[in-house]
Amino acid sequence: MMTPSILRLFKVNGIRLLAAGTLLSSLTTVSMAEEVPRVAALSRAESSRATASQQNKYTFIMFYKDQDETTKSMWNTLSQNLNGKKETTSFVAVNTNDPKEQKIIEEYGVSRAPMPLTLAVAPNGAITGSFVKQINDDYIQQAFVSATKARCMLNLQSRKMVLLCVNPGGNTGVPAGVEAFKAIPCYKDVVEVVTVDRSAPGEGDFLKELEVPASQESSIVFMAPPGVMIGQYSGKVTSQQLIAELKKAGKSCGVEGCKHCKE
């Protein structure tokens, strides 16, 4: 069952962040020699996003079809809120009728979406906010998430399961049961293991959303796309337990390979 805390990972202002059939990918690092021709080939919106990613900034992309009052209002709100946050954000408008921007329009699958639509994109490529027709300061602020939350969101949006290991201070290890599960051939390519220090700055709100209990031991949060919490366990969980929980979730796994795994 999807818990309310997990649901908030994928909804902002009631809008689901992962559209069916949308393939999300993060930008790869390139050398300076490769960077110039690559950037030159990007559209204005793609270039804005790429530059922001390299500078560890968020990008707010406003897609629109007509310059009506709703579009103007959304753009004015973005401008007023983000002009003073240029060290952490960039924002760009994309007309969905612009042939030069068709690649990014197809990437996010927004050609038939209600307009205007603003997507908030974290530096790692995760969509952390989706706002249709209206946006305000609170919505914009909610789009800024912790590094660990952004990493979990990106993997889930990329159709991968996530095993989040919440460790006590100073412990960076991965529990044996998680390692054993990740090593199973039919799971290894569809599961991402993410670790976080329980006391890491900026991660407290995310751990509260997940309802991770305060403990001196490791906690494991098992998530599957598009936003299903399969379960939460202690660091002593075994691979057999994880397999059993995943099979119990059935189609909720959200990953094609799960249906064929016989381990």
Side-chain angles (χ1 to χ4, degrees), residues 2 7 10-12 14-19 130 226-227:
M2 185 184 295
L7 186 62
F10 305 99
K11 287 189 178 181
V12 176
I15 306 300
R16 184 165 293 280
L17 299 184
L18 179 61
S130 176

Side-chain angles (χ1 to χ4, degrees), residues 21 56 90 98 121 123 140 147 165 167 170 175 179 196 199 210 215 223 254:
N56 198 34
S90 69
D98 185 348
V121 184
I140 291 173
C165 304
N167 295 325
E179 286 188 331
V196 61
S199 60
L210 296 176
S215 172
M223 295 173 274

